[in-house]
Amino acid sequence: MTVLSMALVPLSADDELLSNAGFELFEAGTFTDWHIPLGMAAAETTDKVEGAQALKTVEVTLTKAYVQQAVSTLGTDLQAGDTCEVRIRYKVLTAQPGGDICLDCYWEHSRDGELKHDSVTLRTQPFTANVWSEKTVRTTVPEGASRFNFRVGITKKSVVLLDDCSFRRVANATTEPRLTVTPTALNSVSAAINTTANMTPLTIRQANLTTPVTLEITGANRDCFSLSTNSITAAEAQVVVSYHPTTVGTHKATLIIESSNHPELSQTISLTGKSYDPAQPPTLSIAPASIAPFTAAVNADSSITVQLTSTNCIDYVYAKVEHLQGAAFTINNSMFTQNTTVPVRITFHPTAAGTYSSRITFSSDKADDVAITVTGTATGTAGTADYDSTFVWTMDNPRTLLVEPFSTTDHNHTIALDGWQNVVLQGQRPWWGFADKDAQDNIIDHYAKATAYVWQQTEDDPWEMWLVTPPLDYLNAASQLFTFRVMGNFMFEGHSTVLEVYYIDTIPDKGLYKQKLDIDIPADKDQNGEWYEFHLDLAGQNIADVFFMAFRFAGNSGNANSTTYYIDDVSWGRTDIPTLNADSASVIMTATKSTAITSTPITVTTKNLTEPIKLTIGGANAGRFELSTNTLPTSGGQFTVAFESDTEGVHEAYIKLASRGAADKYIALSVLVKATTGLNAIDNDRTYVWAENATLHIHADEPHNIVVHDAAGRCIWQQHTSTATLPAAAGIYFVAIDNRIVKIVVP
C-alpha cells in the first residue's frame, strides 16, 4: 500500500529540517512526525547509532512500504538554488534478493504537484548492508518548490533499522539575488481617530542584491499608514507599519517592497485599518430586552424574532450563545451587518425533557457587549438518533464503477445510500442531503452537506462526522480515477472547521488503515460559494485490491461556527471524465502606470464537457484584471486578459477555469507596473533595452558584456557588443549588461 500524502513539518531556524530525525519520540505504536504504515514500526533500543532508540520495521507485507515525512519550504528563507543533503543511516536485519532499502524522495510544487528535479539522484535503486551504513545524496532547491518529501522505501519481507536521518541545507546559492518577507500578509488593525496602532512587524531578509530594498506605501488611503523605515541594506531587518487615521471609516493601501535592480523580486502587501470616533462610540441594542420563557415538546421548535440595532460600528456584529443549563437554544446567524437594524431569530429545540437556560451575547469591535438570557421548558420523551456511531467494514461486492450525484437524498435529512457509511464519531449530526433551489423554489440540484452550526448555541463542542464510499474495486475498474467536487460556504477568517479526504483499507491481522490525502480543500472566506473539482488518478500506485474513500468533516459546534461544506458528483472508475486544458499556465507582463495592456490570446481545449466553462479572476489584485469573456462554450475557445493600474509594483492574481465534472485549471497572472518600461540610461551611460514586434533590442554607446536569460534561467544569448537585435518569442527575459539586470517582457 502506498501512503498517499504526508503531514507538513515547518522549517525552523535549526540546520536540521526533519522533525524527530533520530526517532527518539515513539508512542502508541508510531513515531512522532513520521508517516509509517500501520503496525510496521517498532522501537529498537539496543542496536542503534545514536540516542536512546532507532526505528525497526517489522516484516513488510506490502510490495513496498514507506517511512516518510514532508518538509514545507513556505515561510522560511530556503530559496531556489540552495543545496541540501539527504542522509539515512541503516542496517538490514532480514535481506531480500534485489535490495532492501531505497531513497524515493521528491520535490513538490503546491499547484503543479511532483517535480522531476534531481529525480535520478533522489530516487535510487534498492541497496542493502548487514552492518550500520550511511547513504547520502545532495539536491538543489528547484524554483517554485513548496515542500520536500523525504521518503525511504522498504522492500517486501525486508526488516531494517533506521536511525539518525537528516535533511539539511549545506550551502546557499552564492550569487542568486533573494528577497523574502514574512509574514506575507498583515491582518487589519483598528484605532481611534488621531491615535496610532502598529501592525505585526515584518521581517525582511535579503542577499546578493545590488541596490537597497525600498518600501513605499501607495493607494487612496496611503496617508493613514507610515513605515518605521523606507530603505534597508542589512541582511535582515524588521519593519513596522503604523496606522494613524484622522477620519472614521475603513482605510486601505498597498505596501510595495522592492529592489530597483531586481524587479522580479518585488512584493506587495495589502494594508487595512478601521477607525472610530470615541465621541460617537459604536453602540448595540436589542429589542425587546427580555423574552418570556419558551415551552416546546422534545424534538419540536419554538421561535421568536428580536431586533438588533447597531450604530457607528466599524465592523460586523458577532453573536455567540453560552448554554447555562442544557443546550437547546440557537440563533439564525453568528455574524450580522453593522449600522442597521436586523432581525435575529431565536429558536428553542430541546432533545430531552427538562429546563434550559442560555445567554446570547452580541459584540462588535470597540462597542459594549449586549446580552439577553433565555429560558425554556421541554416536555415529552426523546427519540432515537437516526445515524450510526460506529463503522462497519465489509469488502463484499466492491464497485468497479461508482457515480453518486446525491440526487435521491432529502433536504436536511440524514444521507442513507446503498453501501455508504454515514458515521458520527463526535456530536449529534450526520451528513445531510441538501436540495439547492432557484428563486421560484424549484430544486435544481442535490448535494451532500456537513455543518456543525447550531443556532443559538454558544458552546463549541467538537463534532466529527464521516461519509464513506462503498468498497471500490481497484483491480477491475475501467479506470483508476476518483473524482468529486467540493464547495465551502460561510467560511470566515480563522475558522477551524476542516473537510478532509481519506484513503482507507483493511489489512488482514493489522486492522484498519486510513491515510489523509494532501488536497487543497477550499478554506478561505474568498472561496465561499465556489465549486472546486478534484480528480485523483490512483493508477500505478500500490493501492489495495479493494479499498474505500472517505470524507471527514470536523469542527466545533455552535452558532459561532457557521462553516459548511458540500460535496457532489463522487465517482470511481469512469472513462468519460470531462477535461479542459489551456495552452498557457501563466501570464507575465510589464506595464506603465495608468496604461491598459492586453495579453495574447489564451486557447482552451476540451473533451466530454457537458456545461459551459466559467472563467473567474481571484487573488489579491483581482480587481486590476479584466477578462474578455466570463464564459466559453463546451467546445472551448480563446480569451484574453486586460490589466491597468496606477500603482507601481507587482500585481498578482489568477484565472480559474471551471466546468462541472472537469478538474479545475488555474492560470497565474503577474504584472510589474513601473513608471516606464524598458531600460533607459542605466547608470547614466545611455544604454537602452526594449521589445517590439517579437524582437528584443539592445543599444549602447559603447560595448558591454551582455547576457540574455529566458524565464527559466537558461542563457539564450551572450556577447561583448554595443548593439543587438534578437528574435524573441512572447515571454519574459532578463538582460544582464555588465551584471546590471533588467526584466523585459516580449508581448
Side-chain angles (χ1 to χ4, degrees):
M1 170 188 7
T2 298
V3 179
L4 300 179
S5 66
M6 299 72 88
L8 291 182
V9 180
L11 298 184
S12 68
D14 299 331
D15 290 337
E16 180 56 61
L17 304 180
L18 290 177
S19 179
N20 194 19
F23 302 102
E24 298 302 311
L25 304 177
F26 179 81
E27 57 181 337
T30 187
F31 287 88
T32 300
D33 294 326
W34 289 94
H35 288 265
I36 307 170
L38 186 67
M40 196 185 95
E44 170 59 50
T45 58
T46 303
D47 194 355
K48 60 188 187 299
V49 174
E50 53 82 37
Q53 62 192 22
L55 178 153
K56 178 181 180 181
T57 68
V58 301
E59 182 175 307
V60 175
T61 59
L62 310 169
T63 302
K64 183 170 289 184
Y66 294 92
V67 176
Q68 57 188 325
Q69 186 178 126
V71 179
S72 173
T73 66
L74 304 179
T76 72
D77 59 356
L78 193 64
Q79 298 289 320
D82 288 353
T83 299
C84 296
E85 183 179 87
V86 178
R87 184 193 70 202
I88 61 170
R89 287 178 173 164
Y90 66 97
K91 178 180 179 180
V92 177
L93 302 181
T94 302
Q96 301 300 318
D100 304 282
I101 187 170
C102 68
L103 292 180
D104 195 18
C105 309
Y106 62 92
W107 292 97
E108 187 175 349
H109 189 284
S110 59
R111 183 186 66 246
D112 300 334
E114 180 182 339
L115 302 175
K116 300 301 182 183
H117 178 77
D118 285 348
S119 60
V120 174
T121 301
L122 295 173
R123 287 190 150 139
T124 69
Q125 294 297 316
F127 47 86
T128 190
N130 60 6
V131 296
W132 278 106
S133 303
E134 179 177 304
K135 180 70 173 180
T136 302
V137 300
R138 289 195 173 188
T139 178
T140 57
V141 181
E143 188 70 37
S146 60
R147 74 184 68 180
F148 181 78
N149 294 280
F150 187 104
R151 304 207 313 170
V152 180
I154 311 297
T155 304
K156 185 176 183 178
K157 295 186 179 181
S158 296
V159 177
V160 304
L161 299 175
L162 285 174
D163 200 5
D164 195 25
C165 289
S166 178
F167 174 62
R168 65 179 66 215
R169 180 172 50 215
V170 295
N172 293 342
T174 57
T175 60
E176 183 72 18
R178 68 174 59 174
L179 173 60
T180 62
V181 181
T182 54
T184 57
L186 293 175
N187 293 331
S188 64
V189 294
S190 60
I193 57 174
N194 300 317
T195 64
T196 300
N198 292 333
M199 294 184 166
T200 303
L202 295 170
T203 298
I204 299 177
R205 299 181 179 92
Q206 61 163 312
N208 306 316
L209 302 182
T210 58
T211 51
V213 175
T214 59
L215 300 93
E216 179 186 5
I217 296 176
T218 65
N221 305 128
R222 59 182 177 272
D223 292 341
C224 295
F225 300 88
S226 61
L227 297 164
S228 58
T229 184
N230 294 97
S231 180
I232 296 173
T233 56
E236 180 174 325
Q238 277 201 336
V239 177
V240 176
V241 181
S242 299
Y243 173 56
H244 187 91
T246 57
T247 59
V248 174
T250 299
H251 303 100
K252 296 186 176 183
T254 299
L255 171 61
I256 300 175
I257 305 170
E258 63 180 347
S259 178
S260 60
N261 278 4
H262 308 278
E264 72 280 4
L265 301 179
S266 299
Q267 299 186 43
T268 60
I269 295 178
S270 297
L271 307 177
T272 302
K274 298 178 179 180
S275 62
Y276 64 98
D277 185 353
Q280 295 180 306
T283 59
L284 304 173
S285 63
I286 284 287
S290 61
I291 299 173
F294 289 75
T295 59
V298 170
N299 290 325
D301 288 347
S302 177
S303 301
I304 190 175
T305 299
V306 298
Q307 301 299 316
L308 167 66
T309 300
S310 58
T311 58
N312 301 322
C313 290
I314 61 175
D315 203 348
Y316 291 105
V317 180
Y318 298 90
K320 66 177 182 179
V321 180
E322 177 187 4
H323 296 307
L324 306 177
Q325 183 178 357
F329 286 98
T330 59
I331 59 176
N332 61 321
N333 210 335
S334 60
M335 185 173 67
F336 299 91
T337 303
Q338 71 270 34
N339 302 330
T340 187
T341 297
V342 295
V344 180
R345 188 169 180 81
I346 302 173
T347 299
F348 179 52
H349 182 90
T351 57
T355 57
Y356 297 83
S357 176
S358 296
R359 179 185 296 112
I360 305 170
T361 303
F362 300 90
S363 60
S364 186
D365 195 8
K366 307 304 179 183
D368 292 334
D369 292 351
V370 173
I372 56 175
T373 300
V374 290
T375 60
T377 302
T379 59
T381 304
T384 58
D386 62 347
Y387 51 80
D388 295 325
S389 57
T390 57
F391 294 102
V392 178
W393 303 102
T394 174
M395 315 294 277
D396 298 337
N397 302 314
R399 309 281 184 91
T400 58
L401 178 65
L402 174 69
V403 180
E404 183 52 69
F406 300 102
S407 57
T408 61
T409 60
D410 295 326
H411 184 69
N412 283 353
H413 284 76
T414 301
I415 291 177
L417 297 169
D418 181 37
W420 289 73
Q421 296 190 70
N422 190 354
V423 179
V424 177
L425 297 186
Q426 294 186 93
Q428 302 174 14
R429 184 180 299 158
W431 281 81
W432 284 345
F434 181 83
D436 193 7
K437 299 180 180 180
D438 61 18
Q440 288 71 44
D441 211 32
N442 299 311
I443 295 177
I444 57 177
D445 209 343
H446 287 83
Y447 319 130
K449 167 187 172 182
T451 182
Y453 175 76
V454 180
W455 191 28
Q456 296 181 346
Q457 176 182 312
T458 55
E459 285 83 357
D460 55 355
D461 300 324
W463 281 18
E464 179 182 358
M465 44 270 212
W466 291 69
L467 188 63
V468 186
T469 68
L472 303 177
D473 189 330
Y474 183 80
L475 289 181
N476 301 305
S479 79
Q480 279 68 48
L481 195 62
F482 181 77
T483 74
F484 59 95
R485 61 182 191 139
V486 173
M487 179 174 69
N489 219 342
F490 309 113
M491 298 181 290
F492 54 91
E493 186 173 343
H495 77 86
S496 59
T497 303
V498 297
L499 177 67
E500 299 169 338
V501 183
Y502 280 78
Y503 162 85
I504 297 176
D505 70 20
T506 55
I507 306 172
D509 302 323
K510 299 295 183 182
L512 181 72
Y513 176 85
K514 63 178 184 290
Q515 177 61 45
K516 185 178 74 172
L517 307 189
D518 190 11
I519 298 175
D520 290 329
I521 297 294
D524 296 333
K525 62 180 181 179
D526 293 339
Q527 297 174 301
N528 280 324
E530 289 287 333
W531 283 102
Y532 292 82
E533 297 272 356
F534 296 92
H535 292 188
L536 308 181
D537 189 357
L538 306 184
Q541 301 197 48
N542 194 19
I543 305 298
D545 293 351
V546 178
F547 68 102
F548 303 85
M549 299 296 284
F551 300 90
R552 174 182 179 264
F553 177 96
N556 291 333
S557 65
N559 67 340
N561 298 290
S562 57
T563 299
T564 302
Y565 279 106
Y566 306 86
I567 62 172
D568 197 12
D569 297 340
V570 178
S571 79
W572 164 253
R574 289 179 59 185
T575 58
D576 60 342
I577 292 296
T579 61
L580 61 86
N581 291 285
D583 64 354
S584 298
S586 62
V587 175
I588 304 173
M589 301 184 289
T590 58
T592 56
K593 293 171 61 174
S594 304
T595 300
I597 59 172
T598 302
S599 71
T600 56
I602 299 168
T603 301
V604 179
T605 56
T606 68
K607 183 179 179 181
N608 298 326
L609 292 192
T610 59
E611 295 189 6
I613 304 168
K614 180 182 178 183
L615 289 74
T616 56
I617 294 180
N621 305 121
R624 305 292 190 180
F625 296 85
E626 183 177 356
L627 295 166
S628 60
T629 180
N630 293 316
T631 60
L632 288 174
T634 56
S635 58
Q638 289 188 328
F639 70 93
T640 59
V641 58
F643 172 86
E644 184 176 358
S645 175
D646 60 357
T647 303
E648 293 185 29
V650 176
H651 297 68
E652 295 181 327
Y654 62 84
I655 303 171
K656 176 186 174 185
L657 288 75
S659 179
R660 182 164 180 171
D664 299 333
K665 295 294 181 183
Y666 293 88
I667 299 174
L669 303 175
S670 180
V671 179
L672 174 65
V673 178
K674 298 293 287 182
T676 58
T677 57
L679 177 63
N680 292 313
I682 289 186
D683 293 343
N684 298 317
D685 65 358
R686 290 182 294 178
T687 302
Y688 301 88
V689 178
W690 72 96
E692 186 178 30
N693 298 326
T695 304
L696 193 61
H697 300 270
I698 305 170
H699 178 79
D701 282 0
E702 60 184 58
H704 296 272
N705 292 320
I706 303 175
V707 183
V708 181
H709 291 82
D710 64 12
R714 296 183 293 263
C715 176
I716 63 173
W717 186 89
Q718 62 179 358
Q719 192 171 322
H720 185 78
T721 185
S722 59
T723 304
T725 303
L726 308 175
I732 188 169
Y733 297 86
F734 296 93
V735 181
I737 301 175
D738 293 339
N739 296 320
R740 296 162 296 177
I741 299 175
V742 65
K743 176 181 176 183
I744 293 294
V745 173
V746 177

